[in-house]
Each structure stands twice: as C-alpha cells, then as structure tokens.
Amino acid sequence: MNAHQRARATKPPSAVLRTRGGGAPIRFQDRTRCQDTRPEEAGARIPPAGEDSAVEVRTGRFRLTARLSLTDSDRAVAVLASGGRSTLADRYLARVLHQAGFGTMVTDLLAADEVGCPHDAFDVPLLAGRLRGAATWLHGRTGLPYAYVAADTAAAAAVEAAAPGLFAIVSRGGRPDLASPAALAAVRVPTLVVVGSLDTRVLGRSRVAVDWMRCEHRFVLVPGATHVLDGPSALAAVADLAREWLSARLPRTVREERPSPV
C-alpha cells in the first residue's frame, strides 16, 4: 500500500446532517475536533442529530470550546455561558431545556489559563466577542433562532452580543450592570433577569441595569437564594423560569411549526 492509499484508508468517513428548512446539507469529518477556520467560514462541525458532542469554534485567535446537542425536532437553541468556564449549573439547565425541546450549546468563554485572571473574567467586550462568534457560527450553520442563558459577567456579554437570530436573553444571577447603558438601552429581544433575594451586592445594580432597558423585560427574585443560584431549589426555580420564558417567546413561525412535546 503506497502513501496515498494509506492516507485514504485512515481518513475518517464523512457524514451529512441536513439543515432545517431545506438548506444545504452540512458535512463533517470526525467526532471530536473542528476545522481551523473562522466562525463565519465553517468554524466547527455540527454533531449528528441527538448527539451531545464537543465542538470547537475559532473566534479570532481564540478557540472556543462547547458542548452542542441538537435533534431533528429542535426549533431553537439555548446558548449557555458563565463568566469563564462552563459549570455544573449550566449543564443542568441545558438538560432541562433540552427536555423542553430546545437544542443546547454550553460554551467556555475563557481558556483554562485565563480563568484565574480577573481582567479577562471582567473584560465584557472580550467575552461578548467570543459569545457573538459562537452564536453567529451556530445560527449560520443551522438557521435556527437562539437565546442566551448567561450567568455572572457573561450576562453583560450577552447584552452586548446581539446578532441576527437572537430571540431572547436570560440572565441567571448575572451582572448585566457591567454592560454599558447604551448597550442595555439597545437590547431589542425579551430579557429575563433572575437574581437571588440574598444577593444584596448585585441586587440593586441589577435593578438599575433593568431600568435602562427599553425592550420587554422581567425582573425576578428567587427567595432565599444567593448570587450563584446553584442550590437545588434555586436552580430548579431558574430552570422553570428560563424554560417558560424561552418557550413563550419563540418566534411565531417557529412556534407554529414546532410539534407539541410528548
């Protein structure tokens, strides 16, 4: 067997996932790594329908990693992010939303060596650029509308990361107050801000941030919860609120086409 034949024999088989709405099929090559391209070019591959897979999207010089899960019946995607690396709470919320009929994408907005740097964790433009890059790639490859479900400083990034296809935002114990007043006033999608009632440090700031908004919005306190909102009862309450908020605010055409859950 010559070198050319060996290369062909070891090349992973390609597969095809068809997009919603009759778009061109998406081809991917392997189950773990993405292509080294920009988000708007290809960025990563879409996993097979129903598979929860790791994807990697290049946004500028940063390789953003995420867990993506989609099925053929999903009509929208929830993009979940915290202020750095994904958390157990993000993954729990992703499972709840997936059971409610949403595709999910759980993102890591910071690399492992960036997490310990407060400058990076509070660099809202940096986080917003990475979040927007992931969402732009996702929407461009699937054609599905998407929502941000963000915690900590990622909530401010979500406010500043508006892009085509975004239909709602959920701030989970986040810091929307770190977004600029101009960005808060410019939000055009329905926004839910959930804060723990014991989070006295952020509570007042979040109220001020909400006052800047001109879009449909709602401010909800979770009784007895602290800033992280990761206790079992608090997290269950956030999951219920997020599911109801996103389900009720799906674009009309999507809501009409989506089958009723079993």
Side-chain angles (χ1 to χ4, degrees):
M1 181 182 293
N2 59 35
H4 179 69
Q5 291 172 325
R6 286 196 299 271
R8 288 178 60 86
T10 56
K11 182 179 179 181
S14 63
V16 175
L17 174 69
R18 296 198 175 276
T19 58
R20 284 74 176 169
I26 299 169
R27 296 185 178 273
F28 57 90
Q29 295 293 330
D30 61 66
R31 300 174 63 85
T32 56
R33 301 287 293 179
C34 75
Q35 300 172 10
D36 184 9
T37 51
R38 296 179 181 178
E40 61 273 16
E41 294 172 350
R45 58 89 183 176
I46 296 287
E51 178 187 335
D52 182 3
S53 295
V55 296
E56 190 177 83
V57 181
R58 182 171 179 176
T59 61
R61 290 182 291 178
F62 180 72
R63 293 178 180 272
L64 182 147
T65 59
R67 300 291 304 184
L68 180 61
S69 183
L70 289 170
T71 68
D72 291 337
S73 62
D74 295 332
R75 293 295 179 265
V77 184
V79 180
L80 297 99
S82 294
R85 307 287 285 182
S86 61
T87 65
L88 289 174
D90 291 323
R91 293 188 281 276
Y92 169 80
L93 290 172
R95 288 197 300 271
V96 172
L97 293 173
H98 196 66
Q99 291 170 358
F102 292 92
T104 58
M105 185 177 187
V106 181
T107 63
D108 288 331
L109 296 182
L110 293 179
D113 59 352
E114 293 176 323
V115 173
C117 178
H119 174 74
D120 290 332
F122 284 85
D123 189 337
V124 174
L126 173 74
L127 300 178
R130 292 175 178 180
L131 184 59
R132 185 186 300 108
T136 299
W137 168 81
L138 178 68
H139 182 61
R141 292 300 170 273
T142 66
L144 296 176
Y146 62 91
Y148 293 135
V149 181
D152 297 324
T153 52
V159 168
E160 300 201 0
L166 180 66
F167 75 92
I169 296 174
V170 175
S171 169
R172 173 180 66 85
R175 295 293 309 274
D177 60 290
L178 295 177
S180 69
L184 289 164
V187 175
R188 293 294 179 265
V189 298
T191 301
L192 172 67
V193 178
V194 185
V195 181
S197 66
L198 302 181
D199 187 9
T200 56
R201 183 174 63 91
V202 173
L203 183 57
R205 298 175 183 177
S206 296
R207 287 189 184 277
V208 171
V210 168
D211 287 342
W212 278 100
M213 292 182 173
R214 299 295 179 264
C215 60
E216 176 192 0
H217 60 270
R218 183 182 176 195
F219 186 88
V220 179
L221 287 179
V222 178
T226 59
H227 173 61
V228 290
L229 288 171
D230 62 354
S233 60
L235 198 52
V238 172
D240 288 340
L241 289 165
R243 180 180 61 242
E244 293 170 2
W245 187 261
L246 299 186
S247 297
R249 284 154 184 85
L250 279 169
R252 177 177 296 179
T253 55
V254 173
R255 192 163 57 245
E256 292 172 349
E257 295 173 357
R258 179 176 163 183
S260 299
V262 176

